[in-house]
Amino acid sequence: MADTEDDDPDEAIILNLPADKIIADWEHETDAGTTTAAAENPDYPADEQLIIVAFRDAIATALDNWQGLDSDTLFEQVAEHDINQYGFPEDRLEQIEPGELDAEWLDSLAERFIDAGWDVTHRATELRLTQYDEEYRITADGTVVGEGEYREPLENIVAIER
């Protein structure tokens, strides 16, 4: 999930979608005292569905093999490890592919290759490039997959762009 109102959002993982809770129910402490998700989101109805999330980086740092946990166990482990949880209005979050935010740098790279005459297929977390019947894949983490004379130059471009 990603916060639609954040210009540079972090990837969030849904921990809980309590059917009987709304954003007015979510209380948390701030420097100014106790507040609610409804008070911090005045553009959303106070009775909007509450979604409880934690940020992927915080979870991944604290929990090994978290991706293999069922949702109840993940929720328990996040609480047990004191990972911050946040309450959001449902409509403020958008579904994204895992790793999609880390792959945003591929957008400008795709344009660059298109301008250079490459055949480019841009997926959320990778680029597929074809030039003179040679195919390559560039993943969100910067890995270049493919064999041929362009691999090393592609690796150099990725190192500069990333």
Side-chain angles (χ1 to χ4, degrees):
M1 301 301 290
D3 181 354
T4 60
E5 294 186 11
D6 188 339
D7 291 337
D8 187 22
D10 292 320
E11 187 173 345
I13 306 298
I14 294 177
L15 299 175
N16 197 356
L17 185 71
D20 60 339
K21 299 286 183 186
I22 58 175
I23 62 173
D25 296 329
W26 183 261
E27 291 185 348
H28 60 280
E29 294 297 320
T30 67
D31 292 339
T34 303
T35 190
T36 66
E40 290 192 331
N41 292 281
D43 294 337
Y44 298 88
D47 64 349
E48 181 155 346
Q49 173 66 51
L50 172 69
I51 295 183
I52 301 171
V53 303
F55 291 108
R56 180 186 180 103
D57 288 346
I59 294 172
T61 299
L63 303 174
D64 292 331
N65 301 318
W66 66 272
Q67 292 173 313
L69 301 176
D70 64 70
S71 59
D72 291 337
T73 304
L74 178 61
F75 185 68
E76 292 168 7
Q77 289 292 307
V78 165
E80 200 172 290
H81 286 84
D82 292 322
I83 299 170
N84 288 337
Q85 298 176 38
Y86 302 90
F88 279 88
E90 184 175 28
D91 286 343
R92 184 170 166 177
L93 298 173
E94 69 178 333
Q95 183 69 40
I96 59 169
E97 270 191 52
E100 185 175 335
L101 296 176
D102 293 335
E104 287 182 347
W105 69 276
L106 291 174
D107 296 345
S108 63
L109 191 61
E111 290 176 23
R112 196 169 159 187
F113 282 110
I114 290 168
D115 290 346
W118 287 69
D119 181 24
V120 177
T121 302
H122 188 189
R123 297 193 174 146
T125 58
E126 73 177 17
L127 294 180
R128 291 184 182 261
L129 308 170
T130 305
Q131 182 77 298
Y132 303 117
D133 295 325
E134 290 185 20
E135 294 181 13
Y136 300 90
R137 227 172 18 101
I138 300 174
T139 63
D141 68 358
T143 302
V144 177
V145 178
E147 300 301 324
E149 67 181 285
Y150 296 111
R151 182 181 177 140
E152 187 175 338
L154 289 173
E155 290 172 334
N156 292 336
I157 291 169
V158 166
I160 292 168
E161 288 293 317
R162 221 164 158 245

